[in-house]
Amino acid sequence: MDPSDWLSTSWKERLWKAFIAFWVLYILAPPVMLVFISLDTASYVRVPQGFTFEKYEMMLQSEPLIAAMKRSLVLGVATMGIAPFLALLAVLSYRKTAYKSLFVGAMIVPLFVPGVVQGFSLLVLFKQLGFDNPFVAELIGHVIWAFPFAFLVLLTSMSSVREDVLLASSDLGANELETFRYVIFPLVKPGIISAVIFSFVLSFNEFSRTIYLQGGDNTVPTYVYAKLQVELSPEVFALAGMTVFVSLSLIAVATVFLYRAGGASADDG
């Protein structure tokens, strides 16, 4: 029996409204507030009363901040190329393994390891190996973090690929590469795009692993953290506002792709 059947229609409506209120007030409102504060004319925190891009102009004039943004962008682009690719290989392997539950559990283990523990353990490992390349170390940490999310997105997307379609492709003489190119890839393409976007956002905003692995060069999150230890400068609000806007926009795009993929899958079914 579906547990939701135990609730009356009125209670279901109340719970849904409570969830929406929680999501808006405690999850969406705080970061969105930073966007409005970054556009306010005051240099301190208050209820926004004006509109200006002055904080963003100050942000663009800060060379250390620009350097941090460039490093975050490079790491994000590299992560969004590597993590989804590895996740796609893992999902294709998942379809052939007999131990599916164990396989999924192994792939999503990084989700349950605290970032500070994972970052510190990677730092210790790299030091023991004599590895001294902070950028590659950061990239490895970011890929480990983004990989499980990309895997779960692609695993969900792969559910639209039916076995009878793959068997039909094989019966028509297509090899595995051709089957992937002409059958699997078009079906999971929205999932791949979503995995790429999520991987970039996760990398760009990653802090807890980066702080241990970065060496001497800041990324956007570590720059903000270091700056806040000294002062609450206007460009920090601009950087936070820009990051929130870009992150929410990319997540919205990824969600649309996943929604369309789910709708197409339902129509095919």
Side-chain angles (χ1 to χ4, degrees):
M1 185 178 182
D2 189 343
S4 64
D5 293 337
W6 302 345
L7 300 173
S8 64
T9 302
S10 60
W11 269 105
K12 290 180 182 178
E13 185 176 347
R14 290 173 187 171
L15 289 174
W16 174 246
K17 289 180 179 179
F19 170 76
I20 294 297
F22 171 81
W23 189 81
V24 170
L25 292 175
Y26 294 98
I27 297 178
L28 186 61
V32 170
M33 178 185 67
L34 287 175
V35 177
F36 288 105
I37 292 176
S38 71
L39 295 169
D40 187 33
T41 52
S43 60
Y44 52 89
V45 179
R46 69 174 185 180
V47 177
Q49 299 175 11
F51 181 86
T52 180
F53 286 107
E54 183 179 349
K55 294 184 181 70
Y56 288 89
E57 293 174 359
M58 294 177 63
M59 178 188 73
L60 295 176
Q61 293 171 2
S62 173
E63 293 184 5
L65 194 155
I66 296 299
M69 289 177 61
K70 288 180 179 178
R71 190 172 183 86
S72 286
L73 285 172
V74 173
L75 282 167
V77 170
T79 301
M80 78 181 193
I82 297 172
F85 175 73
L86 295 177
L88 180 60
L89 295 180
V91 169
L92 293 175
S93 300
Y94 165 84
R95 296 182 63 88
K96 297 184 178 182
T97 183
Y99 305 98
K100 288 183 167 33
S101 297
L102 181 62
F103 188 89
V104 171
M107 294 299 101
I108 64 175
V109 163
L111 289 177
F112 304 100
V113 180
V116 291
V117 173
Q118 195 170 79
F120 180 66
S121 62
L122 285 173
L123 175 64
V124 172
L125 175 63
F126 292 146
K127 284 188 175 296
Q128 292 296 317
L129 295 175
F131 183 76
D132 188 23
N133 189 320
F135 177 82
V136 176
E138 283 181 81
L139 179 59
I140 292 173
H142 287 205
V143 169
I144 291 174
W145 171 232
F147 171 81
F149 292 93
F151 173 78
L152 291 174
V153 168
L154 287 173
L155 186 63
T156 302
S157 185
M158 191 68 75
S159 63
S160 63
V161 181
R162 303 200 309 267
E163 290 294 336
D164 58 339
V165 176
L166 299 182
L167 290 174
S169 175
S170 179
D171 291 340
L172 291 173
N175 56 37
E176 289 193 6
L177 181 59
E178 291 172 330
T179 298
F180 172 79
R181 179 180 178 183
Y182 296 109
V183 179
I184 297 177
F185 180 76
L187 292 173
V188 302
K189 184 178 178 180
I192 293 175
I193 295 174
S194 299
V196 166
I197 293 174
F198 282 128
S199 296
F200 177 82
V201 172
L202 289 168
S203 172
F204 193 85
N205 295 317
E206 167 54 32
F207 172 78
S208 55
R209 294 158 186 81
T210 306
I211 196 70
Y212 289 98
L213 303 171
Q214 67 178 357
D217 297 317
N218 280 315
T219 60
V220 167
T222 59
Y223 174 86
V224 172
Y225 175 77
K227 197 72 174 176
L228 289 177
Q229 305 307 305
V230 181
E231 61 176 337
L232 195 60
S233 56
E235 63 265 26
V236 170
F237 286 112
L239 180 60
M242 181 201 68
T243 302
V244 169
F245 177 78
V246 172
S247 297
L248 291 180
S249 299
L250 290 175
I251 290 173
V253 171
T255 303
V256 168
F257 274 106
L258 286 178
Y259 178 79
R260 288 181 177 178
S265 177
D267 292 340
D268 292 340

